[in-house]
Structure formats: C-alpha cells, structure tokens
Amino acid sequence: MSRADRFLNACRGEPVDATPIWLMRQAGRYMPEYRALRAKYGILEMIKTPELAAEVTLQPVRAFDIDAAIIFADILPALEEAGLDLEFIPGKGPVIHNPVRSPSDVERLGWATGRGGLEKTMDAIRLVQSELDGLVPLIGFAGAPFTLACYAIEGGSSRDFLSAKQFMYEQPAAWDKLLTRISDILIDYLQGQVEAGVNVIQLFDSWAGALSPADYRTMALPYTQRVLQAVQGVPRIHFGTGLSGFMPLLKETGADILGVDWRMDLADARAQLGPDQPVQGNLDPAVLFAPADEIRRQAKAVLDANAGRNGFIFNLGHGVFKETPVEHVRTLVDFVHEYRK
Ligand code: CP3
C-alpha cells in the first residue's frame, strides 16, 4: 500500500497497512522553513499568493512521513466575502474591524460568492496537486458556520463568546440570516476546493464546544448539516473541540469522519459513535512537549484505545502549538507508523 492510499482508505473505513497520521496546523511557525518565509510576508499575503501557499503546504510533507497535506489557508478569509474587514495583528491574532453587532449589520453583509477573493486558494490547490503528483492526498478546509459567526460578531478571538451568544439569544432571526449567509459562502468555497482537486475536506468548528448540546442542536447543527449536505464527492471530516458531550449529536452533522479532541478517551468516543464510524484524533498537542519516551507512551495509549479498528486517522486533538520541537513531531509520526495494532 502506498503512502497515498492509507489516509483515504481509513476515511472510508477500509483496511490500512499502517495507521495514517497528519496533524492539524502541521504547517506553521514551529517549522524553521515556515518562519523563514513568514519573516518576509504577512500571513494573508502568504495565503493569497498561490506559490507561497503551495510551498508552505508542502513543507511538512517534505519534513515528515505524514500521510496527507492540508492546503495552507485559514478559516477567516471566508468572512471577507461577506464584506468583513480582516487583519492579523502580530501578537494579537485576528481582528475584524467592522464586526456584526446588530441585525442591520447583517442586512449590510455583502453577497459575493466564496469564489471571489478565495479563488487564490483554488489556484494554490491546483499548484499543490501538480507538485504532489499523487504522493499524498490533499485536504481542503473551511470553518464551520457557528465558529465563523462567533468571529464575525466578537471581532476576534474570545474566551466565552458572550457577545456572540447574546446576539444568538436576542436576535434569533438575524442569527439565522447571518449563519445562512456564511453557509452560502462556505458551500461555494468548499465546492470550489473540491473542483480544484482536494481529496478530502475538513470543517473546523473550533468553538462549538462553547454551546450546550441543546443550543448546538438548534443554533449551529442545522447550518453545518446544510454545508456538508451540499459538498459531496470527497470524504468529509468534522472537527470541533470540547464536544465530549455531543457524541451522538455529531453523527447528525452528516460528516463521514468525526474528529475527537483529547478531553475524551478515544475508546469511549468509539463506543458512543458505534463501530462503523470513522474517527480522527486525539493526542493532546501538549504531549509533543514531553520527552520522546512519553510521546511514544501516550501515542501508544491512543492507538491501543482504537484497538486496531479500521476507520482511524491519527491526529492531535487540536492544532500543533508554535513552540513545538520539530524533532518531537518526527518521533510521533514515525512511532504511529511503526506501531501496528
Ligand atoms: O493546518 C494547516 O497546516 C493549514 C493551515 C491552517 C491555518 N489556520 C494557518 C494559520 C488551518 C487549518 C487554520 C485553521 C484555523 N484558523 C482555525 C481552526 C483550527 C483551530 O486552531 O481551532 C482557527 C480558529 C483559525 C483562526 C486563526 N488563524 C487564529 C486564531 C490565528 C492566530 C493565532 C495564531 O496561532 O497565531 C490564525 C493565524 C494562522 N493561521 C497561523 C497559521 C499558520 C499563524 C500565523 C502566523 O504565521 O503568524
């Protein structure tokens, strides 16, 4: 079996010769070759220059024996399609200068499709695919409607998402319009990525765990369902954090593969989701700061929790931290491939 088949076989629940592994945020500041480029260009500039985005996408594929590439982009530029003014401020993170604060702000949102400013990502996908030439599959991605709505309303990162939740409770009609508008952009964007040649897509609902399961069901899930329903033709992964209490509900997203974070035992997730549900996860990304033996011990625990079942993709429970030692990533990737069970 080639390096190219493992990940896609696992997505379909079929047998593999070794457990496939890729890492969320596998391209980024922990890699010296990324930092060298980043010293010269801004993050949005890198995303919107296909040659640079393609180069950064390929860096971790060259450095490690990982089983998939993920296109270098971000979840937030999709909001620019709705007329939101996005900037990444060094040391502060993403900021939206004109956040959504009222129903009239929702009415003013633009109606461009997700193929306008995002077209550079489609170009990057085509470039990466021609350079990969089948070596490993390429993952496309987008944020989920709920997480993007949180950013649109909060105007940046937040701990409790109180502005977003207040808007959701006070203005349910405007909330529906906002999430519908964002979902329309995401459908176009993801369909565009599939047409440009990605082999798998992943939806990041990074903040869904801020909701109660009941609010998730009515205020977030329907939009995620609509997006996933509209984007067909490749395996679709759903990822969120803090969703341990949402396991059966997540099956209703319609995703083919469900991401699990490290706050839950993988065997427990498997038991709740049923034996035929492909899953992805779930090593705590902080374990990559531990000595090599501890990394192997913890990775073995995750693999043992899966107990050799098909339909398993090894990943972290969230993205790689920027301070992660590069050698530790190699230790993890190689161990996961060598450990058969
Ligand atoms: O996984 C990959 O290698 C592909 C690239 C990727 C990026 N962002 C590049 C990026 C992916 C999949 C994302 C997803 C993303 N972006 C999420 C969902 C995943 C998660 O972590 O929950 C979220 C919430 C964002 C929003 C975002 N982008 C934030 C909050 C920040 C700033 C915080 C930080 O880490 O600096 C970004 C910037 C960003 N996106 C960086 C990278 C590599 C760091 C930018 C830099 O080089 O300064």
Side-chain angles (χ1 to χ4, degrees), residues 25-27 29 34 38 73-75 88 141 204 206 318:
R25 295 277 188 112
Q26 65 191 17
R29 284 164 297 185
Y34 176 89
R38 187 65 177 77
D74 195 82
I75 64 170
F88 284 95
F141 72 92
F204 286 88
S206 303
H318 204 165

Side-chain angles (χ1 to χ4, degrees), residues 36 74 82 91 102 156 201 203 247 249-250 252 296:
D74 195 82
S102 67
I201 59 145
L203 217 50
M247 283 299 132
L249 252 182
L250 290 177
E252 295 181 31
R296 291 189 201 98

Side-chain angles (χ1 to χ4, degrees), residues 17 21 25 32 36 66 121 128 150 161 165 196 200 206 233 257 301:
D17 62 338
I21 174 170
R25 295 277 188 112
I66 41 172
T121 294
V128 169
C150 284
F161 303 100
K165 285 187 178 180
V200 172
S206 303
I257 301 104

Side-chain angles (χ1 to χ4, degrees), residues 95-341:
V95 171
I96 287 157
H97 293 293
N98 54 347
V100 171
R101 287 286 150 81
S102 67
S104 62
D105 289 340
V106 175
E107 295 303 324
R108 274 198 293 274
L109 290 180
W111 288 92
T113 70
R115 305 196 186 196
L118 301 171
E119 191 56 47
K120 297 287 182 208
T121 294
M122 320 309 176
D123 292 341
I125 289 167
R126 286 183 278 263
L127 259 181
V128 169
Q129 286 293 39
S130 77
E131 293 196 32
L132 277 176
D133 197 22
L135 179 66
V136 289
L138 177 62
I139 303 167
F141 72 92
F146 173 76
T147 289
L148 289 181
C150 284
Y151 276 104
I153 295 168
E154 299 284 345
S157 299
S158 160
R159 203 167 62 106
D160 299 314
F161 303 100
L162 287 178
S163 303
K165 285 187 178 180
Q166 186 174 10
F167 191 99
M168 179 178 97
Y169 294 127
E170 279 184 355
Q171 308 289 350
W175 176 264
D176 176 60
K177 252 196 168 156
L178 174 63
L179 272 86
T180 300
R181 175 76 196 95
I182 290 173
S183 302
D184 288 342
I185 292 170
L186 295 174
I187 290 169
D188 270 341
Y189 182 35
L190 288 165
Q191 285 177 341
Q193 293 187 45
V194 172
E195 285 163 25
V198 298
N199 305 100
V200 172
I201 59 145
Q202 175 160 319
L203 217 50
F204 286 88
D205 209 352
S206 303
W207 309 130
L211 290 170
S212 69
D215 283 345
Y216 176 78
R217 179 183 280 289
T218 56
M219 300 298 208
L221 177 64
Y223 308 96
T224 292
Q225 281 172 331
R226 195 173 139 246
V227 171
L228 288 173
Q229 178 64 36
V231 184
Q232 302 281 347
V234 297
R236 292 129 343 128
I237 306 172
H238 178 279
F239 168 77
T241 65
L243 301 179
S244 308
F246 292 47
M247 283 299 132
L249 252 182
L250 290 177
K251 285 180 84 90
E252 295 181 31
T253 59
D256 302 297
I257 301 104
L258 293 175
V260 179
D261 80 6
W262 70 94
R263 297 172 183 89
M264 188 174 194
D265 191 293
L266 192 77
D268 194 12
R270 279 282 204 196
Q272 290 193 43
L273 293 168
D276 298 329
Q277 173 64 59
V279 294
Q280 173 174 284
N282 73 340
L283 187 72
D284 181 346
V287 168
L288 289 174
F289 292 77
D293 281 350
E294 178 66 7
I295 294 172
R296 291 189 201 98
R297 192 187 70 76
Q298 294 239 13
K300 177 178 182 301
V302 170
L303 288 157
D304 288 346
N306 183 61
R309 291 190 203 86
N310 290 336
F312 177 55
I313 299 151
F314 198 106
N315 206 315
L316 302 176
H318 204 165
V320 180
F321 288 108
K322 67 175 190 294
E323 302 85 356
T324 303
V326 174
E327 271 314 306
H328 289 187
V329 172
R330 186 165 296 114
T331 299
L332 174 67
V333 172
D334 292 345
F335 176 77
V336 168
H337 283 152
E338 285 154 20
Y339 189 77
R340 278 150 209 259
K341 190 167 160 308

